[in-house]
């Protein structure tokens, strides 16, 4: 019996690698005219207004710019024990600052720490597929 | 935009809070009739109306206006998230400034207690979107945590601002929250944690309400209410996000902080007003840390000095530049559409010197600021003639 198929909460924002341990990548855009990168994808460059943009993959690593820990259960959380959740903004080396849910407890984050993309299962849909969302987790935690 | 020939003729509102037994239309009628009475006008004199609400209910504004009578006047629905009320005001002032009518009504109404209960999941924008899990509180908390990292700001600073606004609200009979005791920073810090470092008492409540502002040609003000000080809008700036490096597109409720600085400078320049001459400011304090940022972004102190303003009590009534004299979003309340018009209500009372126990001495110039999700920022300046 193989593992359930994984589907994104919303299409077009991140990849879902075949291998479970592999980090996802974010689906972004690069402006061919001025070189600026964006997440999520966009047709027109927000900086120079050129429509000459191309799809690109961003991440999976970045630096934590700011974070908080929200003390109410996350909407759609699958794990019954989750009493709250981290939220942060992560600066990607390509430029975009990405806001996302963070994996970890209230004391696990500090500004400036390296982060890596990860996928988290929110729930199972009617077809038995796992509905997943991207998150960032502290890189230290990934290596231990 | 120039408002040289426009004045605020009347203001009216109901107390914000949970109004279980009254519909949005009933609340709106009461606020509207109070504003008309304050102006010395009848509904027949209103040439155009702008109705602001956030509730996703089609035709609501046009139906609500029938409460006042069926005179055939043009009615337009305005919605700009939390900034809605000020934008309804801005459009009403424009309608007069352009010569389209002599008198215009800006009316805000909403029942957030019903919105908070209904909908999918009761908050956010639905279950199946990429950013539905991130609450507004989280976004403003991210802002607060970065500030603490960069400037050494402590949660006590945010708590002091929240306590100040609770205590201002206690002097305002139309505020939702009216504490029976002097609220302390310690009490604010000890309240339920929402999103680190923000606590429940640092956040605005969920409110129902209605508020109304009547604007008209300047000479009408003296004719209708001889002997009363005339309050005029002198600038109304509205901006959306300008792209900056590190711009965050997905998740945030409002855009970069620089949006407030850019919008404020546009308003100051249009009105020829120096920030040092402003007597009081009403700002979007949905969370207390926002107010601290706005001290700097509205140019009331140099960057990095906002904490000192808190420590010195400069933004209390009686201080150098009182902020949110009516309690702000935190204590007066934040029903959505009516919020900006309640700010105008407060500024008009202050500039007429009719604000009673919360009167700012010699108030001459008032500032109303709101940000709204999407996102937008508006800064409006008013002067006593």
């Amino acid at each position: 019996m193989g593992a359930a198929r994984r589907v994104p909460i919303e299409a077009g924002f991140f990849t879902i690698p075949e291998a479970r341990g592999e980090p996802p990548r974010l689906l972004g855009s690069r402006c061919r005219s001025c070189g600026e990168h964006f997440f999520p994808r966009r047709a027109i460059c927000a900086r120079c207004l050129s429509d000459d943009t191309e799809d690109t993959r961003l991440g999976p690593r970045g630096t934590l710019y700011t974070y908080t820990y929200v003390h109410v259960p996350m909407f759609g959380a699958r794990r019954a024990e989750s009493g709250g959740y981290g939220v942060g903004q992560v600066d990607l080396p390509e430029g975009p600052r990405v806001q996302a849910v963070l994996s970890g407890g209230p004391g696990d984050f500090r500004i400036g720490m390296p982060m890596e993309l990860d996928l988290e299962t929110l729930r199972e849909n009617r077809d038995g597929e796992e509905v997943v969302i991207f998150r960032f987790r502290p890189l230290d935690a990934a290596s231990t | 935009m120039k408002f040289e020939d426009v004045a605020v003729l009347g203001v009216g509102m109901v107390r914000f809070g949970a109004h279980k037994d009254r519909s949005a239309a009933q609340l709106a009628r009461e606020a509207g009739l109070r504003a008309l009475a304050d102006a010395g006008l009848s509904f027949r004199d209103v040439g155009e109306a702008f109705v602001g609400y956030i509730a996703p209910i089609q035709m609501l504004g046009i139906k609500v206006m029938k409460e006042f009578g069926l005179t055939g006047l043009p009615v337009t629905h305005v919605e700009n998230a939390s900034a809605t009320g000020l934008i309804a005001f801005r459009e009403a002032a424009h309608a007069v400034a352009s010569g389209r009518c002599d008198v215009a009504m800006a009316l805000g109404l909403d029942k957030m207690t019903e919105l908070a209960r209904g909908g999918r999941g009761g908050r956010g924008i639905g279950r199946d979107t990429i950013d539905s899990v991130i609450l507004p509180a989280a976004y403003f908390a991210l802002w607060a945590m970065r500030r603490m990292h960069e400037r050494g700001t402590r949660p006590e600073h945010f708590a002091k601002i929240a306590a100040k606004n609770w205590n201002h609200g206690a002097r305002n009979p139309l505020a939702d929250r009216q504490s029976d005791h002097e609220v302390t920073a310690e009490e604010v810090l000890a309240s339920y944690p929402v999103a680190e470092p923000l606590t429940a008492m640092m956040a605005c409540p969920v409110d129902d309400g209605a508020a109304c502002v009547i604007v008209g040609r300047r000479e009408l003000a003296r004719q209708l209410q001889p002997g009363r000080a005339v309050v005029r809008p002198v600038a109304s700036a509205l901006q959306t996000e300008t792209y900056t490096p590190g711009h965050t597109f997905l998740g945030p409720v409002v855009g970069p902080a620089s949006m407030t600085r850019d919008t404020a400078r546009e308003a100051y320049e249009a009105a020829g007003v120096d920030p040092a001459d402003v007597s009081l400011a009403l700002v979007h304090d949905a969370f207390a840390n926002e107010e601290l940022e706005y001290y700097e972004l509205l140019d009331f102190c140099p960057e990095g000095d906002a904490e000192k303003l808190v420590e010195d009590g400069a933004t209390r009534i009686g201080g150098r530049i009182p902020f949110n004299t009516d309690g702000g979003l935190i204590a007066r309340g934040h029903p959505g559409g009516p919020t900006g018009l309640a700010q105008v209500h407060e500024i008009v009372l202050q500039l007429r010197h009719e604000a009673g126990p919360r009167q700012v001495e010699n108030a001459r110039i008032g500032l109303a600021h709101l940000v709204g999700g999407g996102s937008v920022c508006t800064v409006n300046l008013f002067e006593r003639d």
Side-chain angles (χ1 to χ4, degrees):
Chain A
M1 197 178 78
R5 198 174 111 86
R6 296 188 292 179
V7 293
I9 183 169
E10 199 176 350
F13 290 93
F14 55 91
T15 64
I16 300 178
E18 286 296 320
R20 289 246 162 190
E22 212 176 294
R25 308 289 304 278
L26 295 178
L27 300 173
S29 300
R30 180 186 167 275
C31 175
R32 284 201 188 96
S33 181
C34 76
E36 201 78 346
H37 288 79
F38 300 98
F39 175 76
R41 289 189 292 181
R42 50 182 301 124
I44 295 172
C45 175
R47 181 165 172 249
C48 75
L49 311 189
S50 162
D51 61 2
D52 189 14
T53 57
E54 61 184 358
D55 287 352
T56 185
R57 292 183 174 198
L58 304 170
R61 289 186 182 178
T63 307
L64 191 60
Y65 175 76
T66 184
Y67 69 91
T68 182
Y69 194 83
V70 181
H71 292 273
V72 293
M74 187 173 77
F75 190 65
R78 189 190 190 193
R79 295 170 307 166
E81 73 270 22
S82 64
Y85 59 98
V87 174
Q89 291 183 347
V90 175
D91 285 336
L92 301 180
E94 298 90 345
R97 180 167 296 156
V98 179
Q99 185 165 309
V101 172
L102 306 180
S103 299
D108 293 347
F109 312 111
R110 59 185 161 74
I111 287 173
M113 77 195 299
M115 305 292 285
E116 186 170 61
L117 275 168
D118 195 5
L119 288 176
E120 172 97 8
T121 300
L122 293 169
R123 60 177 180 272
E124 223 168 68
N125 67 16
R126 269 175 296 182
D127 301 324
E129 297 165 326
E130 289 179 21
V131 177
V132 297
I133 192 166
F134 75 91
R135 308 185 158 199
F136 283 95
R137 65 176 174 189
L139 192 56
D140 318 335
S143 58
T144 53
Chain B
M1 173 158 89
K2 293 284 179 196
F3 285 129
E4 272 149 10
D5 300 318
V6 183
V8 178
L9 302 180
V11 293
M13 64 180 281
V14 299
R15 181 182 169 187
F16 291 174
H19 290 283
K20 281 201 181 69
D21 304 328
R22 290 198 292 166
S23 69
Q26 287 173 309
L27 298 172
R29 188 182 62 224
E30 189 176 327
L33 292 179
R34 284 184 186 180
L36 286 166
D38 183 52
L41 289 168
S42 105
F43 184 64
R44 206 166 279 288
D45 301 313
V46 178
E48 194 159 342
F50 297 86
V51 189
Y53 52 93
I54 295 173
I57 304 170
Q58 284 179 17
M59 300 172 278
L60 177 67
I62 292 164
K63 283 183 173 172
V64 162
M65 286 306 297
K66 290 199 275 190
E67 292 280 319
F68 297 99
L70 282 68
T71 62
L73 88 167
V75 175
T76 304
H77 171 209
V78 176
E79 193 268 306
N80 254 355
S82 286
T84 293
L86 284 177
I87 307 310
F89 162 79
R90 172 184 159 90
E91 290 305 313
H94 260 301
V96 173
S98 71
R100 219 156 71 189
C101 57
D102 293 336
V103 174
M105 173 187 270
L107 180 68
L109 55 112
D110 259 312
K111 292 197 77 173
M112 298 306 280
T113 60
E114 289 176 5
L115 273 188
R117 274 203 308 274
R120 290 178 296 174
R123 63 164 182 266
I125 47 171
R127 182 172 182 152
D128 294 318
T129 61
I130 194 94
D131 51 357
S132 59
V133 293
I134 299 178
L135 301 173
Y139 177 70
F140 290 109
L142 292 173
W143 213 9
M145 291 293 278
R146 185 70 199 181
R147 174 95 195 181
M148 289 163 66
H149 177 76
E150 283 180 3
R151 301 275 182 204
T153 317
R154 287 173 287 112
E156 287 77 9
H157 289 111
F158 307 140
K160 276 185 179 162
I161 290 170
K164 166 186 75 70
N165 291 351
W166 277 81
N167 293 327
H168 283 176
R171 302 192 202 182
N172 177 8
L174 296 173
D176 175 355
R177 289 165 162 170
Q178 295 180 22
S179 175
D180 58 2
H181 62 281
E182 182 83 6
V183 172
T184 63
E186 291 71 30
E187 192 180 343
V188 172
L189 285 172
S191 64
Y192 183 79
V194 177
E196 185 186 1
L198 304 177
T199 66
M201 284 181 75
M202 296 182 197
C204 65
V206 175
D207 282 299
D208 304 330
C212 182
V213 174
I214 311 282
V215 292
R217 281 177 32 225
R218 187 179 186 174
E219 62 267 28
L220 285 174
R222 290 205 194 284
Q223 286 168 26
L224 290 163
Q225 301 288 6
R228 184 164 80 184
V230 176
V231 176
R232 293 188 305 115
V234 288
S236 175
L238 167 63
Q239 292 196 14
T240 55
E241 295 169 33
T242 301
Y243 181 74
T244 46
H247 201 94
T248 307
F249 287 89
L250 195 66
V253 184
V254 297
S258 55
M259 204 168 55
T260 286
R261 170 156 286 154
D262 295 345
T263 312
R265 288 186 177 167
E266 181 192 327
Y268 289 135
E269 192 178 330
V273 164
D274 188 312
D277 295 331
V278 174
S279 316
L280 72 149
L282 280 282
V283 301
H284 186 272
D285 60 325
F287 299 92
N289 67 297
E290 285 182 78
E291 186 177 307
L292 180 124
E293 300 277 359
Y294 300 140
Y295 297 160
E296 295 174 6
L297 295 169
L298 296 172
D299 284 327
F300 290 116
C301 67
E303 222 172 285
D305 275 11
E307 289 78 6
K308 195 168 157 13
L309 256 61
V310 178
E311 288 155 14
D312 295 348
T315 59
R316 288 200 296 252
I317 295 168
R320 173 165 76 78
I321 172 68
F323 261 65
N324 288 323
T325 50
D326 64 346
L329 274 60
I330 287 174
R332 174 244 297 136
H334 181 28
T339 303
L341 295 167
Q343 291 181 319
V344 179
H345 184 281
E346 172 68 2
I347 286 173
V348 168
L349 293 191
Q350 289 282 357
L351 300 192
R352 283 183 191 161
H353 302 168
E354 292 175 359
R358 58 182 195 284
Q359 182 63 50
V360 172
E361 216 177 314
N362 299 321
R364 207 178 64 79
I365 297 176
L367 180 150
H369 156 275
L370 285 175
V371 290
S375 57
V376 299
C377 178
T378 183
V379 173
N380 301 263
L381 291 164
F382 298 82
E383 260 183 49
R384 176 189 166 101
D385 254 2

